[in-house]
Amino acid sequence: KLITDLLKVNIDKVNAIKWLDEQNMDERSDIINRTAILKVSNKELFYTFDVYGRLHTNFTTLKKDIRNNFLTINGEKLKEIDITNSQPFFLYLLMKEEGFNEFTDFDKDVLNGTIYDKLSEYENISRNEAKLKVYSVLFGRNRDNTKSNMSFKFFYPKVYKWIKEFKLKHKDYKVVAQMLQKIESKFIFNNLINEIILYNKNIPIITIHDAVLIPERYYDNVKKIFVKELKKLID
């Protein structure tokens, strides 16, 4: 179904490329998005699952602005539903599975969706910059003297310590990223997609790693399913 639904998507190629021309993107990102726009327009689609269960397609390489503004199915715009601060959220689930319970507000900030805002305000940087700094803690080598590590460590010292020790135990700093991708994929494909299909098997679904794109008219009901399935992970 997921592969068949990819073929239903149309793109406003002219305006998508016009939007891309107006951006100040680095050359690599520009080429990736420009190529994806042309391939989607020509129905030259690719799809592949990686070893962690993520589905990679032409749509996962497109910028979010393009997905939200220039894609349609049967003339209807698509709308994206995603998980707020998804990677810290999946880290929280992983830590719970491992028996960790000394979160020092990390759990509260993740579940409230405020972790990036908290660091953004503390460092006086944009939310996106704060997000990248959190990613460097989760997925990087955790050198203690870097500013991103220092601010995260300041607010969540025991969580930071757990991340470092978990990577050392597995002798691989990439292990957290790999584990989080597995949790994400399991949620999307084993939980969420099945529930959406049970609700209405005719809803077209385009997956974007930790998010789904669906026609606008289904947004409210699918959002309720999304929230319900997330709550099951927490309870």
Side-chain angles (χ1 to χ4, degrees), residues 132-149:
L132 293 176
K133 285 177 177 287
V134 172
Y135 278 18
S136 74
V137 173
L138 270 56
F139 310 138
R141 297 179 185 273
N142 302 117
R143 296 185 173 93
D144 290 338
N145 59 344
T146 61
K147 191 174 181 181
S148 57
N149 286 345

Side-chain angles (χ1 to χ4, degrees), residues 3-18:
I3 304 309
T4 301
D5 285 348
L6 293 176
L7 295 167
K8 297 176 182 177
V9 181
N10 293 305
I11 189 166
D12 181 352
K13 181 177 71 173
V14 172
N15 285 313
I17 289 177
K18 182 180 177 183

